[in-house]
């Protein structure tokens, strides 16, 4: 009853940091940002002698991108509180997740589910809570961000190599 035709409910477990604390509630709208780094996203080049791809050492392979925007939240569950001896266990729907997490249920298409599942598998997902007045807003075009873009476009200062000479004894 909560889903429009063509939509499916998909759950994402997010930490309080990646899920805007516990502010996300049914009826809200969220954007999804994925961050992929490390072995899942290696930077490679072709070795001219062997014509084989080899990893490039010393480059930051992290990429961050808002991948899906304006998804409807159809449910949100917190983990059960810890049991307290001598008190009845609280009733209610709980997520079964770890403390500090929230289970957020999103209305998605099959394609959006695939994209989100990939982001869960090989990256980290962050949910961004939208204004309630953005329900009909068009998606914002984003570029995604890499370290190179932060340095070139946002004036982030990259670390510099400092040569230290050990004093003679």
């Amino acid at each position: 009853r909560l889903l429009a035709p063509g939509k499916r409910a998909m759950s994402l477990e997010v930490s309080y940091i990646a899920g805007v604390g516990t502010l996300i509630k049914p009826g809200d709208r969220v954007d999804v940002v994925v961050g992929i780094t490390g072995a899942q996203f290696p930077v490679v080049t072709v070795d001219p002698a062997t014509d084989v791809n080899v990893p490039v050492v010393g480059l930051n392979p992290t990429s961050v991108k808002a991948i899906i925007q304006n998804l409807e939240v159809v449910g949100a569950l917190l983990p059960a509180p810890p049991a307290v001896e001598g008190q009845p266990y609280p009733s209610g729907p709980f997520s079964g997740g770890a403390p500090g997490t929230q289970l957020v249920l999103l209305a998605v298409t099959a394609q959006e589910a695939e994209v989100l599942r990939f982001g869960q598998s090989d990256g980290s997902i962050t949910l961004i809570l939208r204004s309630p007045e953005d329900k009909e807003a068009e998606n914002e075009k984003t570029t995604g961000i890499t370290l190179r873009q932060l340095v070139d476009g946002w004036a982030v200062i990259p670390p510099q190599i400092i040569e230290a000479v050990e004093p003679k004894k």
Side-chain angles (χ1 to χ4, degrees):
R1 288 176 255 171
L2 299 173
L3 297 171
K7 295 289 183 164
R8 295 113 169 115
M10 180 176 183
S11 61
L12 295 176
E13 184 178 43
V14 291
S15 71
Y16 290 168
I17 293 171
V20 197
T22 59
L23 295 178
I24 296 174
K25 304 291 182 230
D28 286 340
R29 297 286 186 160
V30 295
D31 295 345
V32 180
V33 175
V34 67
I36 299 176
T37 191
Q40 292 85 1
F41 208 9
V43 177
V44 296
T45 190
V46 177
D47 181 340
T50 63
D51 203 31
V52 173
N53 287 344
V54 292
V56 177
V57 179
L59 293 181
N60 184 322
T62 303
S63 182
V64 176
K65 178 77 171 93
I67 54 173
I68 303 175
Q69 298 180 30
N70 211 7
L71 290 176
E72 180 184 6
V73 176
V74 294
L77 298 170
L78 294 172
V84 177
E85 190 175 329
Q87 294 186 3
Y89 194 72
S91 63
F94 298 113
S95 72
T101 65
Q102 180 178 21
L103 190 66
V104 179
L105 302 150
L106 302 173
V108 299
T109 64
Q111 181 65 59
E112 290 167 337
E114 290 174 354
V115 171
L116 291 172
R117 184 63 190 111
F118 187 89
Q120 285 177 309
S121 297
D122 282 348
S124 63
I125 287 182
T126 299
L127 300 179
I128 303 171
L129 183 60
R130 295 178 70 104
S131 164
E133 297 166 13
D134 277 351
K135 182 177 180 179
E136 303 300 324
E138 291 197 25
N139 287 345
E140 184 178 343
K141 184 172 172 61
T142 68
T143 62
I145 293 294
T146 63
L147 179 58
R148 177 83 269 149
Q149 289 168 309
L150 284 174
V151 170
D152 292 347
W154 296 85
V156 171
I157 301 169
Q160 300 295 315
I161 296 174
I162 299 173
E163 185 177 345
V165 178
E166 192 173 323
K168 293 184 180 188
K169 294 181 183 185

